[in-house]
Amino acid sequence: MTVATLTDGAFPAEVLDHSGLVVVDIWAEWCSPCRALGPIFEMLAERYLDRVRIGKLDADANPETVTRYDVRALPTVLIFQSGVLVERLSGARALGTYVDAIETQLARGEAGVVAVPSVERTMPALPLANADSDAIREARALLANGEAMLVFKHSNSCPVSFTAKRQYDQFLAANPDVHTRLVIVQQERDLSNALETVSRLRHQSPQALIVRDGRVLWDASHGGITKPRLEEAFATLRRPA
């Protein structure tokens, strides 16, 4: 039995509505540890034939599920019992780790379902930036730009960010006249936090803001950042009032 290929569209029916145990491997083609897990999950599919549903989901092609479960590292394995997320395993593990996790959940059955958080918060909340800091002044200057500016906040450790960054890059390649500022969260945490303070929008990563004259005119995060949506937003801003 081969590992089933899952998609955002099929996820509710194939995983959340399934009455038994489902193990989902969230992976990407560019991720070497993910590829190394391929044979392991083929073995799991064979071992648990007709007992456990084993599937894989491409993180790049399915941002909705990745965003919903806040997958921040690849590979990540999510285990569901009767539609409830009961275990999350980040990073590549040995075959025995997955066997132990599956056997534990099979032994518990529906009566022993203990949900784990759908969203994994791995980054602590950032402290508010000082009102007189350089970061606050830079954030205010960005928002005060006289022309519409695209500010994109990107995390270099988050697979969702990589997907959004590709959309951002494609938009900029097609629209070279757009003023933009790329903020790498890990390298510019003070500025990222200052933007949250000045814009009064909760920090998210990835996050896109279109700002002008001290105001946020448009914003999006996670899977909502796409080339078509960015183009639509700028086209709307450029239309005569």
Side-chain angles (χ1 to χ4, degrees):
M1 180 180 180
T2 58
V3 178
T5 298
L6 302 171
T7 64
D8 282 343
F11 202 85
E14 295 293 321
V15 178
L16 302 182
D17 293 341
H18 184 61
S19 60
L21 202 66
V22 185
V23 179
V24 181
D25 172 25
I26 300 180
W27 73 295
E29 182 62 39
W30 49 263
C31 168
S32 297
C34 297
R35 294 198 300 272
L37 279 187
I40 287 178
F41 274 79
E42 291 290 346
M43 286 187 279
L44 290 174
E46 182 68 27
R47 180 171 185 152
Y48 292 101
L49 180 65
D50 298 330
R51 297 177 62 206
V52 177
R53 181 169 293 176
I54 307 290
K56 63 181 180 179
L57 182 135
D58 185 335
D60 289 337
N62 299 281
E64 181 180 329
T65 302
V66 170
T67 300
R68 179 187 304 158
Y69 294 102
D70 200 36
V71 175
R72 293 174 179 263
L74 293 181
T76 287
V77 173
L78 304 178
I79 301 179
F80 296 81
Q81 174 67 270
S82 301
V84 177
L85 178 61
V86 293
E87 188 153 0
R88 173 193 294 265
L89 297 167
S90 295
R93 310 289 184 93
L95 173 63
T97 300
Y98 301 113
V99 170
D100 288 346
I102 291 170
E103 291 293 340
T104 296
Q105 297 303 332
L106 286 174
R108 287 178 179 170
E110 289 191 34
V113 169
V114 178
V116 299
S118 296
V119 176
E120 183 178 41
R121 298 300 179 194
T122 58
M123 293 177 60
L126 301 177
L128 290 178
N130 186 285
D132 297 323
S133 69
D134 290 340
I136 286 288
R137 285 191 286 272
E138 184 177 358
R140 285 177 177 153
L142 287 176
L143 266 66
N145 196 62
E147 294 185 55
M149 171 179 280
L150 173 59
V151 179
F152 179 71
K153 297 165 72 174
H154 168 65
S155 169
N156 56 23
S157 65
C158 171
V160 181
S161 274
F162 289 126
T163 300
K165 177 66 161 51
R166 279 193 287 273
Q167 295 292 311
Y168 167 82
D169 289 341
Q170 290 171 15
F171 169 77
L172 291 186
N175 299 273
D177 58 322
V178 169
H179 294 273
T180 187
R181 173 66 159 88
L182 174 63
V183 178
I184 306 297
V185 175
Q186 283 85 349
Q187 299 171 14
E188 300 179 280
R189 286 182 177 241
D190 288 344
L191 177 56
S192 177
N193 188 52
L195 284 166
E196 178 183 36
T197 302
V198 172
S199 70
R200 298 184 182 180
L201 287 175
R202 183 173 65 87
H203 164 74
Q204 299 185 74
S205 179
Q207 186 175 45
L209 312 173
I210 298 178
V211 301
R212 184 179 63 197
D213 298 328
R215 295 186 300 127
V216 177
L217 307 177
W218 179 91
D219 70 278
S221 63
H222 298 92
I225 303 172
T226 65
K227 177 177 179 285
R229 289 197 67 195
L230 288 168
E231 289 178 335
E232 180 183 2
F234 273 94
T236 300
L237 293 174
R238 289 166 177 162
R239 290 190 195 118

